[in-house]
Amino acid sequence: MRRKLLVVDDDPYLTTQLRKLLESDELSVDTVSSAQEALTALGETDYSVLITDLKMPGMGGMDLIREVAQRRVLVTTIVTTGFGSIDRVVEAMRLGAYDFLTKPIDPNNLKLVMDRALKKRALQDEVLKLRQQLKENYSFNSIISKNPTMHGIFELIRHIAGTKSTVLIEGETGTGKELIAKAVHYASEERLGNLVAINCAALPENLLESELFGHEKGSFTSADARRKGRFELADKGTIFLDEIGDISQAMQAKLLRVLQEKRFERVGGHESIEVDVRVVAATNKNLEKEVKEGRFREDLFYRLNVIKVDVPPLRDRPEDIPLLVTHFLNKYARPNEPPKKMAPEAMERLLAYRWPGNVRELENAIERSSVTTVGDTINPDKLPARVTGISDEEKPHYDIDLQHPLPYYLKEATEQIEKQYILKALEKSRGNVGRCAELCGLSRRSVSGKISQYEIDKYPFKST
């Protein structure tokens, strides 16, 4: 796409020279002689860059910059001014100008400034394009994707919305299985009840049974009143059984009976309760493999596996990363402040990383970098170390000074290796210090001391 530049100056010689210097196959140049003409042109044409003189008859360049900001015109502004007017340049940049050129204009400096301005504009246009795409094309019930496999899942959800068929969602941790479950529920206009979720792996078996089916007063020590279970609460709606692959064999048998008969009794009760509930189950395990290895009942598997949804990991849909980054930057923007922007170098690192923790890990990384970045652009150094890795340029380099003895440099090198090793071990152990210590061949106390010494944050590793 050929970009457009608008030059505003009452000196016709200067505008002619700028056109000759800058016009090319990639850039067209229009010129006007007053700020009022510039406002008219900006209203009629999409310009990438505006070059304006500050001192002009009538409406000056400063007033033009204010008006451009007030009208929210999407253009990158460069100001031109004579020597001795730095205070006016500072004021112009405070109002929103990107850069400045001093007269007489140096052609080499002009091309450098224009190159930077066009790159900035391209980045801002890409962000705006992604935000528009998020709104128009790539969002489905809070799930964001432009990946064909994910769009196939969206189409499947639309197709099954009016049915009562059980849905089984399989995918790695952090891929968004709960969002898929919500989409299944909310896509159906006939489901008048609530979506009720429970994490089956988070509760011991005796509590899980009570949570699912409810209990009668006095049925166990702390049962001081009758309580409805999740199946009752989800009547006429949907129950989402997360981490279904982690329930015991005994609970599998009880759940199978409910799915077969559509009725159950509360713990300690005798009344048979019938419910109209759609069941959506999810797991990060391969249930077919679990069945073959005898850890999951085959008959329950077939009851759950009526409609199968396989959610791809984030590493298999890298085209979604820029969309998701834009979404999370918007989500974690500070109140009354515009969202941060991701520097191109930082985006390259995000695209190159494998994301073992999937979308959840990406969200964690963007939230962390957003709140720790001062300024409007997130650079690679604000991303987690496990995401950026170490490039050839970043490998340890020591300027040897013979004023220091050799052990000084050996200690420095050892500390860098220790830190990198512990970071890798924490990633492998998902933040578990005991397991990390085993991998390092050190005591738990020693590893805890080094984590503190190197100011390593364990929390992000737990989400992966």
Side-chain angles (χ1 to χ4, degrees):
M1 182 184 72
R2 196 181 189 202
R3 291 191 170 270
K4 296 180 180 179
L5 163 68
L6 178 64
V7 179
V8 192
D9 201 297
D10 60 332
D11 181 351
Y13 175 77
L14 180 63
T15 56
T16 300
Q17 288 300 109
L18 289 176
R19 184 198 292 272
K20 288 180 180 178
L21 285 168
L22 295 174
E23 193 153 46
S24 66
D25 292 340
E26 290 77 35
L27 184 68
S28 67
V29 181
D30 293 337
T31 64
V32 292
S33 58
S34 71
Q36 288 292 358
E37 289 179 280
L39 287 174
T40 301
L42 289 166
E44 295 173 350
T45 306
D46 291 329
Y47 289 99
S48 296
V49 180
L50 167 69
I51 297 180
T52 179
D53 190 17
L54 288 180
K55 189 176 180 181
M56 293 183 290
M59 183 180 184
M62 206 71 77
D63 292 327
L64 173 60
I65 295 170
R66 287 193 188 93
E67 193 65 26
V68 165
Q70 186 175 342
R71 296 186 185 187
R72 299 182 181 275
V73 180
L74 301 176
V75 66
T76 300
T77 304
I78 299 169
V79 297
T80 61
T81 185
F83 287 109
S85 302
I86 296 301
D87 56 334
R88 289 173 59 78
V89 169
V90 171
E91 175 66 11
M93 297 184 78
R94 188 185 68 80
L95 292 172
Y98 169 66
D99 210 334
F100 69 97
L101 297 162
T102 54
K103 295 180 179 179
I105 293 174
D106 175 31
N108 292 326
N109 186 45
L110 168 66
K111 290 182 178 179
L112 285 173
V113 171
M114 273 298 301
D115 186 55
R116 289 200 303 266
L118 287 169
K119 286 180 179 177
K120 176 183 173 67
R121 184 74 259 153
L123 179 61
Q124 291 173 327
D125 288 345
E126 181 65 21
V127 170
L128 289 170
K129 179 182 175 183
L130 288 171
R131 285 179 185 160
Q132 192 62 28
Q133 288 176 343
L134 285 177
K135 292 179 182 177
E136 293 179 357
N137 303 323
Y138 303 128
S139 183
F140 177 79
N141 285 348
S142 300
I143 309 169
I144 294 165
S145 180
K146 60 192 297 186
N147 176 267
T149 302
M150 291 298 295
H151 280 224
I153 292 174
F154 298 166
E155 193 58 39
L156 174 63
I157 292 170
R158 292 189 187 98
H159 186 69
I160 65 173
T163 72
K164 296 181 181 180
S165 301
T166 302
V167 179
L168 176 62
I169 307 168
E170 285 191 5
E172 294 179 9
T173 299
T175 49
K177 297 186 292 294
E178 185 170 358
L179 288 177
I180 299 288
K182 288 180 179 178
V184 170
H185 173 74
Y186 291 113
S188 174
E189 297 178 358
E190 299 175 7
R191 293 277 105 187
L192 303 176
N194 297 320
L195 171 66
V196 179
I198 183 169
N199 187 325
C200 299
L203 296 168
E205 184 177 341
N206 59 330
L207 288 181
L208 179 59
E209 183 177 6
S210 174
E211 281 293 320
L212 286 174
F213 310 126
H215 60 252
E216 297 290 347
K217 181 179 179 180
S219 56
F220 50 87
T221 305
S222 59
D224 52 3
R226 171 187 281 183
R227 183 173 182 231
K228 289 184 177 181
R230 303 295 176 96
F231 269 93
E232 274 186 88
L233 295 173
D235 191 26
K236 303 292 189 297
T238 305
I239 187 167
F240 174 49
L241 305 174
D242 198 9
E243 303 303 347
I244 191 72
D246 290 2
I247 64 174
S248 68
Q249 291 277 347
M251 184 55 66
Q252 289 176 33
K254 293 173 183 177
L255 185 58
L256 175 64
R257 177 172 172 262
V258 175
L259 295 179
Q260 287 175 332
E261 300 178 7
K262 307 295 183 184
R263 59 177 62 245
F264 58 90
E265 295 85 37
R266 299 189 189 101
V267 176
H270 303 287
E271 177 189 358
S272 183
I273 301 167
E274 186 174 354
V275 289
D276 174 18
V277 173
R278 179 177 207 160
V279 175
V280 178
T283 180
N284 60 7
K285 297 180 177 180
N286 183 326
L287 283 195
E288 196 165 358
K289 181 180 177 183
E290 294 291 299
V291 168
K292 289 178 181 176
E293 296 179 359
R295 290 188 292 269
F296 201 85
R297 292 181 63 118
E298 185 176 22
D299 45 7
L300 177 58
F301 170 68
Y302 288 120
R303 281 285 176 181
L304 294 172
N305 194 37
V306 177
I307 296 170
K308 178 79 173 299
V309 177
D310 288 301
V311 187
L314 186 56
R315 62 182 171 275
D316 289 348
R317 46 188 181 107
E319 66 271 36
D320 285 348
I321 291 175
L323 286 171
L324 290 164
V325 168
T326 302
H327 170 71
F328 293 137
L329 288 174
N330 289 332
K331 180 177 178 179
Y332 293 109
R334 295 178 186 272
N336 303 317
E337 288 186 13
K340 306 285 186 186
K341 296 186 287 291
M342 193 66 62
E345 300 84 1
M347 183 63 79
E348 287 175 9
R349 300 293 181 93
L350 295 174
L351 289 167
Y353 184 57
R354 294 286 290 169
W355 299 109
N358 294 294
V359 179
R360 188 180 301 155
E361 184 186 7
L362 174 63
E363 180 173 6
N364 179 276
I366 301 306
E367 179 183 8
R368 177 178 173 179
S369 59
S370 292
V371 300
T372 58
T373 295
V374 177
D376 62 354
T377 303
I378 299 172
N379 291 306
D381 63 311
K382 288 299 180 182
L383 297 175
R386 65 186 184 281
V387 173
T388 56
I390 301 181
S391 67
D392 290 336
E393 295 76 22
E394 295 167 325
K395 287 180 180 177
H397 174 74
Y398 304 103
D399 294 319
I400 303 300
D401 182 354
L402 295 179
Q403 296 296 319
H404 294 294
L406 179 59
Y408 170 87
Y409 291 105
L410 293 177
K411 179 176 180 294
E412 188 176 345
T414 300
E415 287 178 349
Q416 290 201 31
I417 293 170
E418 275 187 347
K419 183 176 180 180
Q420 290 299 317
Y421 197 99
I422 289 170
L423 285 168
K424 279 281 189 184
L426 281 171
E427 181 178 348
K428 179 73 173 177
S429 63
R430 297 188 177 183
N432 184 298
V433 177
R435 176 64 181 140
C436 175
E438 290 178 13
L439 292 170
C440 293
L442 299 171
S443 69
R444 182 188 180 97
R445 183 177 179 181
S446 178
V447 168
S448 295
K450 292 184 185 297
I451 287 172
S452 176
Q453 175 188 347
Y454 299 131
E455 298 180 342
I456 296 172
D457 181 10
K458 294 178 293 182
Y459 174 76
F461 295 100
K462 294 181 183 294
S463 68
T464 64

